[in-house]
Amino acid sequence: MNYLAHIYLSGTNDLLKIGNFMADSIKGNDYEKFDSEIKKGILLHRHIDSFTDSHPIYRQSKHRLHEKYGHYSGVIMDILYDHFLAKNWSKFSDEKLEDYANNFYQLLQDNYDILTERIKGMMPYMIARNWFVSYATIAGLEMILFQMDYKTKHRANMQEAIVELQDFYTEFESEFFLFFEELTLSCQQKTAELNEIL
């Protein structure tokens, strides 16, 4: 799953959200040096990644992209699933997506000192281009995929995955709903477990 899903699955705990958001830039046992709530977020992020990568529904979705995009099919699929979360946001939250996004961007700014250098470098672009809200539209999604592809020196042409998205839109969306229901339940269980041990 990509950024929006990771934040949503963190619930209402602000520090847990931050930990989950910046987890990719924290390797191995480096998470130990953080506050316990940040630690929970990092460990929840790792749980989400593990659950997602091994789940048959997600793998079925990703398989449609694998022949053309290879190693990058998982990166693209994470972003496509964030599209379906953003597009259907009102089914998951009573808060408008625009407000949710702005509140999270403010949360990052308010806690700037505890962010990793990678997140500090990425944050201005994320806020300026309003990634969370951009996920909801095809045009916004194409822009994000192009930005991701730029980081790979255009080795994968990720923005072309809009074609596969449109060709299999109904299948991808139905798979997302089935998968996300199971992932949400798993994250609730994992969060309760982390609250007991940390």
Side-chain angles (χ1 to χ4, degrees):
M1 304 306 291
N2 211 51
Y3 295 121
L4 180 59
H6 275 286
I7 303 312
Y8 171 79
L9 292 165
S10 299
T12 58
N13 183 320
D14 285 345
L15 289 178
L16 199 147
K17 287 179 185 177
I18 291 173
N20 197 334
F21 179 67
M22 64 184 190
D24 277 336
S25 56
I26 299 161
K27 303 304 178 188
N29 291 330
D30 287 351
Y31 75 93
E32 294 282 5
K33 64 186 178 186
F34 290 95
D35 168 277
S36 66
E37 298 306 303
I38 299 283
K39 281 185 196 175
K40 290 176 191 175
I42 296 165
L43 294 173
L44 179 61
H45 181 108
R46 293 177 181 181
H47 171 77
I48 291 168
D49 284 354
S50 176
F51 183 93
T52 299
D53 289 344
S54 63
H55 199 285
I57 295 175
Y58 176 85
R59 290 167 73 90
Q60 181 175 319
S61 290
K62 190 174 79 166
H63 183 71
R64 295 191 188 95
L65 304 174
H66 192 266
E67 184 176 350
K68 185 174 179 181
Y69 303 101
H71 167 72
Y72 297 102
S73 58
V75 176
I76 296 167
M77 202 62 246
D78 289 349
I79 295 169
L80 297 189
Y81 269 19
D82 255 20
H83 163 67
F84 291 114
L85 175 58
K87 178 201 163 195
N88 296 289
W89 184 255
S90 62
K91 291 181 170 65
F92 299 96
S93 176
D94 293 330
E95 186 176 11
K96 288 185 178 178
L97 180 58
E98 292 81 359
D99 295 337
Y100 186 86
N102 287 332
N103 288 336
F104 182 70
Y105 302 152
Q106 188 62 53
L107 177 65
L108 293 180
Q109 292 168 325
D110 291 345
N111 292 275
Y112 188 81
D113 290 346
I114 63 175
L115 302 179
T116 62
E117 292 306 311
R118 177 181 162 190
I119 295 300
K120 288 176 181 177
M122 182 185 77
M123 196 173 78
Y125 300 98
M126 177 186 191
I127 294 172
R129 295 185 172 101
N130 201 354
W131 286 359
F132 286 2
V133 174
S134 295
Y135 286 131
T137 66
I138 299 292
L141 198 61
E142 194 167 13
M143 177 263 295
I144 289 167
L145 286 167
F146 181 83
Q147 289 170 352
M148 296 293 288
D149 201 56
Y150 178 79
K151 292 181 184 177
T152 72
K153 299 182 172 60
H154 302 291
R155 283 193 293 267
N157 294 317
M158 290 191 213
Q159 67 276 10
E160 292 181 8
I162 294 298
V163 174
E164 283 81 9
L165 173 65
Q166 291 172 324
D167 285 348
F168 299 101
Y169 199 90
T170 302
E171 292 90 339
F172 278 134
E173 188 165 31
S174 63
E175 287 161 3
F176 163 76
F177 277 117
L178 289 170
F179 167 75
F180 202 67
E181 183 177 358
E182 292 187 29
L183 177 59
T184 300
L185 179 59
S186 180
C187 286
Q188 290 167 350
Q189 293 168 342
K190 184 64 176 180
T191 301
E193 176 190 316
L194 290 169
N195 285 337
E196 288 183 8
I197 63 176
L198 289 176

